């Protein structure tokens, strides 16, 4: 599976132990992994903290962002909102991880655009499922294209006026 070697995941977690665990699981699954310890560091890496993000983002080729929900400073939910509000990053799937199974939190993250919500500890089966999600995402039209296509009425040809 050559395509899997191209998949790059940005993992965000303030817990060193959880960061090492997710990094190991992702690497075992043939992902390229970049780990950072906070939402603000993730934004720095993605260059969303300055005005140069659109011109330099293509060099990063991040296929997935997986972030802890509960972090000091910026929560995973706040990071999700910033990414989904960015014209250059909004199509990157974002997965939220948490040790807390709170239905309202899960719903809120999914409504804001999270691709998935994983309960910690993350398992290899979760990572395998994420790989399938990324591969499917890479092979489909962006969400906005799907929505626009399904929401717009069919266009009929204009009548000829001769």
């Amino acid at each position: 599976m050559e395509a899997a070697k191209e998949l790059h995941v940005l993992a965000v977690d303030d817990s060193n132990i959880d960061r090492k665990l997710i990094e190991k699981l992702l690497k075992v699954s043939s992902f390229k992994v970049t780990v950072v310890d906070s939402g603000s560091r993730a934004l720095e890496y993605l260059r969303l903290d300055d005005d140069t993000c659109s011109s330099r983002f293509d060099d990063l080729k991040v296929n997935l962002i997986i972030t802890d929900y509960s972090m000091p400073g910026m929560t995973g939910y706040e990071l999700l909102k910033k990414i989904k509000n960015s014209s250059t990053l909004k199509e990157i799937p974002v997965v939220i991880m948490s040790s807390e199974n709170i239905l309202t939190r899960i719903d809120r993250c999914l409504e804001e655009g999270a691709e998935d919500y994983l309960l910690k500890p993350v398992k290899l089966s979760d990572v395998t499922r994420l790989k399938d999600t990324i591969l499917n995402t890479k092979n489909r039209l962006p969400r906005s294209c799907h929505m626009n296509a399904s929401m717009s009425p069919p266009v009929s040809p204009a009548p000829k006026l001769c």
Side-chain angles (χ1 to χ4, degrees):
M1 178 174 270
E2 197 172 312
K5 292 182 180 177
E6 300 172 9
L7 299 177
H8 182 194
V9 178
L10 175 62
V12 187
D13 201 314
D14 62 309
S15 163
N16 191 38
I17 293 170
D18 288 337
R19 254 193 334 272
K20 287 186 183 302
L21 173 64
I22 194 68
E23 180 179 22
K24 183 174 177 95
L25 289 172
L26 290 166
K27 284 184 175 179
V28 163
S29 297
S30 301
F31 286 103
K32 176 183 175 188
V33 184
T34 301
V35 292
V36 294
D37 62 0
S38 68
S40 58
R41 298 249 172 146
L43 293 179
E44 286 173 22
Y45 180 79
L46 295 167
R47 297 177 177 101
L48 193 56
D49 62 335
D50 61 28
D51 295 329
T52 62
C53 67
S54 58
S55 62
R56 299 172 67 194
F57 177 69
D58 288 339
D59 299 336
L60 299 175
K61 297 196 190 298
V62 172
N63 303 103
L64 174 73
I65 299 165
I66 184 166
T67 180
D68 184 27
Y69 182 91
S70 298
M71 296 183 291
M74 179 185 301
T75 67
Y77 178 73
E78 292 165 334
L79 176 61
L80 168 69
K81 285 174 55 172
K82 286 185 180 288
I83 290 166
K84 293 304 174 182
N85 287 327
S86 162
S87 59
T88 55
L89 304 176
K90 67 182 174 186
E91 296 302 330
I92 300 174
V94 178
V95 173
I96 306 289
M97 307 177 288
S98 180
S99 56
E100 299 172 309
N101 189 5
I102 302 171
L103 191 57
T104 54
R105 178 183 292 174
I106 296 169
D107 288 343
R108 190 172 68 172
C109 290
L110 295 174
E111 286 170 8
E112 193 62 44
E115 194 73 30
D116 205 346
Y117 189 99
L118 303 178
L119 289 176
K120 289 181 177 181
V122 176
K123 299 176 281 306
L124 187 56
S125 60
D126 295 325
V127 172
T128 302
R129 190 166 38 90
L130 290 179
K131 185 189 291 186
D132 293 339
T133 299
I134 294 172
L135 291 173
N136 289 336
T137 301
K138 284 177 74 175
N139 295 326
R140 72 177 188 220
L141 289 173
R143 286 184 199 177
S144 58
C145 293
H146 283 300
M147 283 189 238
N148 292 341
S150 65
M151 294 174 75
S152 58
V155 179
S156 51
K160 291 185 179 180
L161 301 172
C162 295

